[in-house]
Amino acid sequence: MPDSDGQGNSGPPERGSAPEGHGVSVVLTSSPLQRIGAFALAALAKSSSPELITPAAFAAVTDRMTRDLLRTSELAKAADPGGFWLSASYLLWPNSKINPTARGRQSPQERREQISAWRTPQAALRRLGVPCAYCGREACDWFGKVDIPLGASVAYRNTTAPGHQGTALCFPCVSCLWAFPYGAALSGGRAAAIHSWDDEFLARVTRSAVQQTLERTAIAAPVKGAKKSPYARELAVLTAVRGYGRRITAPVELLVLSNSNKEQVLVTQEMSQPIAEWLRSTVRDADRRGGYAALAATQATKQVPGEAYLAKRAFARPAHVLSAAVANLLTRAAASQGAVPPEVASLHAIVHSYCIEVLTMDEKDVERITLLAGRLAALLGQDSRPGPFRDFIRANSRGGNLYSWFRSRAVEWQLLPRPEGTEPVLLPVRDYRLLFEDERSWSWRRLLTFAVLEALANNGWQPKGSTEEMRELQDELSDSADTDHDEN
């Protein structure tokens, strides 16, 4: 990156002021980092939108960000009270003027001068004759790793190659990147931020992040790093989504990055719009609100709380939310000698809504599986013997032969008395295709297991048998649950 003092400028303008001849209007670009920073600037400027930030407010915010860094000049080390931004600088701007290798030998005055020279926008007076990499307006300078956070995956490390001057940026866009850390959660050597192309949602979550960052910087003593809960960042996104008051119209991304010398990384996870909107609905729909806690509880493992694992699966493996719920019910049924857990009733509405809205199952097909489960419950629940139920669970597990099981049971369905009003065919063609030919066959089969458990519970069925029979049922339920957990 060229030296800012070797361009023939008469001197830097007042710190934070807008350079004459260059506009300070903030525009939203296609870069998530720039967009998050733009909304962080708006939050700091108390503006409803980045595009509405006035020149005076823009100057005040850029000045404020520089002053926040200047406060670190009196500190001996990042662990000292008030060392938030000095600590964060090693993550965000390694080897910059705020944290040079020789920092320990500098006086506070020397540190102030170095930080001011680094963050004062004297470079913005230039006209490079090249477009800004983000917005296309004329760039004011070249910026590198010491100035801006990682902007691409680890395959495109944010370092300046020999003979290359860096990234060309205009002053408003580089100011957005300076504001980005205010809109992120900085902990554990990472910056985590929420992004979405839904601008209203992004504005809301960024304002909240800015407020939390300002609260952390106001604490006199640094907060000791508590042990982080599993999938805490994913859970923070889930909490933000569920707390939003309007319809979410775009996917929600979680960006986790480090720009430090030890490790450069940028990892992005995406929560699809249907999942985000469904999660939001679990707060506002009475039936789903009642079942949300029960569903979250089914996602838990010994190491990971249920809601945290639900958040992780919402990003990475949405279909496994259903599988984990069924596995949990089977585990609990095994622990109670085959008795269906009572929570299955409260899960009906939320599981069906998840299948329809998130897993994109047709509502009529979900109803078909429910009716099929009713027929199977009538067949399995003719008496209290645990064997038929055990055989169904075994057949409908991974590695089981569900097709062969249906062929055998279809004969029984024809020969034995059937409940009045039920179909004469146990497994109609459409149901067969869902269970064996659809690309989501395993999800349909998991839904069938859930629906059979629910129908048996509604019928008041309880398995009874010899000690050996009950042990075999428990073992089969446990094995089936373990298989599902292995897939999760």
Side-chain angles (χ1 to χ4, degrees):
M1 180 173 162
D3 185 3
S4 298
D5 296 329
Q7 304 300 316
N9 296 329
S10 58
E14 180 184 353
R15 187 175 69 246
S17 63
E20 187 177 348
H22 284 252
V24 296
S25 61
V26 176
V27 298
L28 295 174
T29 72
S30 60
S31 164
L33 297 183
Q34 189 268 355
R35 283 169 52 81
I36 293 168
F39 280 101
L41 272 178
L44 291 168
K46 294 181 170 52
S47 172
S48 60
S49 170
E51 293 95 335
L52 298 179
I53 300 175
T54 65
F58 180 88
V61 171
T62 54
D63 180 64
R64 186 241 177 92
M65 291 191 294
T66 302
R67 284 188 284 108
D68 285 345
L69 300 187
L70 286 171
R71 292 191 184 97
T72 67
S73 59
E74 303 291 334
L75 304 178
K77 55 186 182 298
D80 290 346
F84 179 88
W85 286 114
L86 179 58
S87 176
S89 71
Y90 295 100
L91 154 67
L92 297 163
W93 317 292
N95 304 118
S96 63
K97 298 301 183 181
I98 189 176
N99 57 25
T101 304
R103 187 179 187 281
R105 298 191 296 273
Q106 292 177 334
S107 68
Q109 179 60 31
E110 289 174 318
R111 294 169 187 163
R112 282 192 292 272
E113 291 173 356
Q114 292 289 320
I115 294 172
S116 295
W118 171 49
R119 278 298 182 92
T120 301
Q122 66 264 31
L125 291 169
R126 304 176 191 151
R127 294 184 178 277
L128 293 186
V130 296
C132 172
Y134 286 154
C135 70
R137 296 178 294 187
E138 188 170 23
C140 68
D141 203 352
W142 305 94
F143 296 90
K145 179 180 176 179
V146 299
D147 304 296
I148 57 178
L150 186 69
S153 73
V154 72
Y156 303 95
R157 294 181 183 274
N158 194 33
T159 53
T160 302
H164 194 282
Q165 298 183 84
T167 301
L169 296 173
C170 67
F171 187 62
C173 281
V174 77
S175 296
C176 290
L177 295 181
W178 289 345
F180 165 80
Y182 290 83
L186 309 179
S187 65
R190 297 285 190 275
I194 301 173
H195 176 259
S196 177
W197 300 104
D198 182 332
D199 286 353
E200 291 187 1
F201 174 76
L202 180 57
R204 163 73 180 272
V205 296
T206 305
R207 279 197 302 271
S208 177
V210 168
Q211 182 60 39
Q212 292 176 32
T213 298
L214 294 180
E215 290 173 358
R216 289 195 64 186
T217 61
I219 298 173
V223 179
K224 297 294 182 182
K227 186 177 179 181
K228 210 164 190 59
S229 302
Y231 305 126
R233 295 184 178 106
E234 289 85 351
L235 180 57
V237 179
L238 179 146
T239 301
V241 165
R242 295 188 75 232
Y244 186 58
R246 300 184 180 183
R247 178 176 174 78
I248 298 174
T249 61
V252 177
E253 296 173 303
L254 171 62
L255 284 67
V256 180
L257 67 87
S258 171
N259 203 39
S260 72
N261 287 329
K262 294 181 180 179
E263 182 181 26
Q264 287 188 323
V265 61
L266 173 61
V267 178
T268 301
Q269 299 183 72
E270 182 178 278
M271 178 187 290
S272 71
Q273 185 275 335
I275 299 176
E277 182 57 25
W278 177 85
L279 284 168
R280 198 184 70 84
S281 75
T282 62
V283 176
R284 285 147 189 85
D285 182 278
D287 291 335
R288 300 179 191 185
R289 186 167 60 246
Y292 177 78
L295 179 66
T298 66
Q299 307 298 301
T301 66
K302 291 181 180 179
Q303 297 78 24
V304 184
E307 196 170 27
Y309 222 148
L310 174 61
K312 177 60 178 176
R313 288 176 174 130
F315 276 105
R317 308 178 81 178
H320 286 69
V321 171
L322 176 59
S323 297
V326 172
N328 179 273
L329 293 174
L330 293 177
T331 299
R332 295 189 58 198
S336 58
Q337 294 193 320
V340 179
E343 288 83 359
V344 70
S346 63
L347 288 169
H348 174 89
I350 198 163
V351 165
H352 281 219
S353 69
Y354 189 85
C355 289
I356 294 166
E357 297 174 24
V358 175
L359 302 185
T360 65
M361 295 176 171
D362 188 272
E363 186 172 0
K364 292 181 179 178
D365 289 336
V366 171
E367 181 59 27
R368 293 189 67 89
I369 293 297
T370 302
L371 294 174
L372 172 59
R375 296 193 294 275
L376 294 184
L379 188 63
L380 300 174
Q382 292 184 94
D383 55 53
S384 60
R385 292 178 303 149
F389 178 53
R390 178 202 62 211
D391 292 344
F392 166 72
I393 294 298
R394 177 185 298 153
N396 201 22
S397 300
R398 289 194 184 274
N401 192 340
L402 184 63
Y403 177 68
S404 178
W405 183 89
F406 265 112
R407 283 195 304 176
S408 299
R409 300 292 86 76
V411 175
E412 292 182 31
W413 184 251
Q414 293 293 327
L415 297 177
L416 297 176
R418 300 189 300 272
E420 184 177 350
T422 57
E423 291 192 33
V425 178
L426 181 63
L427 184 66
V429 173
R430 177 60 183 165
D431 299 8
Y432 169 85
R433 289 174 176 167
L434 292 174
L435 297 176
F436 298 103
E437 296 181 353
D438 192 278
E439 61 182 6
R440 296 158 301 182
S441 289
W442 182 243
S443 291
W444 287 113
R445 289 173 64 172
R446 293 297 83 196
L447 178 60
L448 177 62
T449 299
F450 171 82
V452 167
L453 292 172
E454 182 183 20
L456 288 172
N458 291 339
N459 294 343
W461 180 79
Q462 294 283 342
K464 296 177 183 178
S466 67
T467 302
E468 184 177 352
E469 288 176 321
M470 298 306 293
R471 185 180 299 113
E472 289 178 355
L473 174 60
Q474 286 179 295
D475 290 345
E476 193 58 56
L477 291 169
S478 296
D479 289 346
S480 181
D482 289 343
T483 302
D484 271 353
H485 281 307
D486 289 343
E487 295 295 321
N488 284 279

